[in-house]
Amino acid sequence: MLLENKKALVTGSSRGIGRKVVEAFLAEGAEVWGLCSKPSAAKSELEEFAKNHNTVFHEICADVGNADELTSVVKSALEESKGFDVLVNNAGITRDTLSFRMKKADWDDVIRINLTSVFLISQIISNDMLRKRAGSIINMSSIVGIHGQGGQVNYAASKGGLIAYSKSLSKEVGSRGIRVNCIAPGFIETDMTKVVNEEAKTAWLSTIPLKRAGKPEDVANAALFLASDMSTYITGQVIGVDGGMGA
């Protein structure tokens, strides 16, 4: 069991990549707190999944765009857990349009939820990890944060900023045994990518050497590796899960 006796907090836990990360962690023995914006239909299923793997799943809810609410909920979860070994910052949104048409509110929302929330959560959890001199923080970036994408200047800025933030934080906390890494998914089959039209989807697939879209499980497996003791000498890195798209 790769994560036996470990405790993890995963944001954006109710669907897509976040849910698969939760399932992967539970299957390997972790006790998991899943943070989502409101009570989810996945809660009972994940509780049952955890029970079947002799562990526990806890769902907690907060608007990650609301700093006061988020801070309160995360601090309560930290107290309840007695400390997290792993943090996965996965929650995120898109508000896509060309930059000259973009409303300031769409810029602000994406930056606040995709980037500022990561800073707030990580500040709380890393302070406790510093005390224990151990921990793994995994931040979900994107291939768009590395290479950019037209119509997504806000999303690209948030995900590129997340990479820079993670590399900087890794230098601050590494001497205390805390690792900070990013995962940069490419074209993954999720609710977020279902809205992409077929023409654009075909164009994207043509740029992927493996000639297929990724699955949430592919990203979850990378998160499991970074959460486990198999990666104890890896920090400050960006791991692409993109089928070679960014090579």
Side-chain angles (χ1 to χ4, degrees), residues 145-181:
I146 301 171
H147 299 287
Q149 177 67 32
Q152 288 191 310
V153 294
N154 48 2
Y155 186 74
S158 71
K159 294 302 186 178
L162 195 54
I163 291 172
Y165 166 80
S166 300
K167 287 180 175 289
S168 298
L169 183 60
S170 73
K171 295 180 186 299
E172 292 183 4
V173 300
S175 64
R176 296 293 187 92
I178 302 167
R179 297 175 289 114
V180 186
N181 293 287

Side-chain angles (χ1 to χ4, degrees), residues 220-242:
N221 287 337
L224 179 60
F225 169 71
L226 291 173
S228 76
D229 290 342
M230 292 191 298
S231 58
T232 54
Y233 201 56
I234 297 175
T235 194
Q237 302 304 307
V238 182
I239 296 182
V241 183
D242 58 15

Side-chain angles (χ1 to χ4, degrees), residues 13 18 90 123 155 178 189 196:
S13 60
N90 169 72
Q123 187 176 57
Y155 186 74
I178 302 167
E189 293 176 346
V196 177

Side-chain angles (χ1 to χ4, degrees), residues 1 13 25 27 43 79 86 88 112 126 133 157-158 175 186 197 225 240:
M1 302 287 277
S13 60
F25 284 11
K43 179 183 177 182
E79 184 177 355
V86 182
V88 181
R112 185 172 63 253
S126 65
R133 303 183 72 89
S158 71
S175 64
N197 64 57
F225 169 71

Side-chain angles (χ1 to χ4, degrees), residues 9-10 14 16 37 44 47 57 82 92 110 115 129 144 147 164 171 173 176 179 187 209 221 232-233 236:
L9 172 61
V10 179
S14 64
S37 60
S44 60
E47 287 174 340
F57 172 74
K82 302 296 190 295
V110 170
L115 184 57
M129 289 178 171
V144 171
H147 299 287
K171 295 180 186 299
V173 300
R176 296 293 187 92
R179 297 175 289 114
F187 188 70
N221 287 337
T232 54
Y233 201 56

Side-chain angles (χ1 to χ4, degrees), residues 66-139:
N66 183 317
D68 291 338
E69 181 181 330
L70 177 64
T71 298
S72 175
V73 169
V74 171
K75 284 183 175 179
S76 293
L78 181 62
E79 184 177 355
E80 179 187 14
S81 70
K82 302 296 190 295
F84 291 109
D85 304 287
V86 182
L87 168 62
V88 181
N89 287 301
N90 169 72
I93 63 168
T94 57
R95 294 286 186 270
D96 296 350
T97 191
L98 295 172
S99 61
F100 58 84
R101 294 176 181 159
M102 186 173 290
K103 298 176 181 177
K104 183 176 182 295
D106 291 335
W107 173 273
D108 290 342
D109 286 349
V110 170
I111 297 298
R112 185 172 63 253
I113 290 172
N114 293 7
L115 184 57
T116 304
S117 71
V118 172
F119 161 72
L120 293 171
I121 297 169
S122 299
Q123 187 176 57
I124 296 167
I125 302 304
S126 65
N127 273 330
D128 182 67
M129 289 178 171
L130 287 169
R131 178 182 59 80
K132 296 186 300 182
R133 303 183 72 89
S136 175
I137 298 174
I138 303 162
N139 295 323

Side-chain angles (χ1 to χ4, degrees), residues 1-8 21-33 49-58 85-86 224 227-228:
M1 302 287 277
L2 292 174
L3 301 182
E4 189 172 12
N5 298 322
K6 292 187 181 293
K7 296 177 182 179
V21 170
V22 170
E23 290 178 355
F25 284 11
L26 291 171
E28 289 296 333
E31 183 176 357
V32 179
W33 279 252
F49 186 93
K51 184 178 179 181
N52 291 338
H53 289 84
N54 299 311
T55 185
V56 182
F57 172 74
H58 313 260
D85 304 287
V86 182
L224 179 60
S228 76

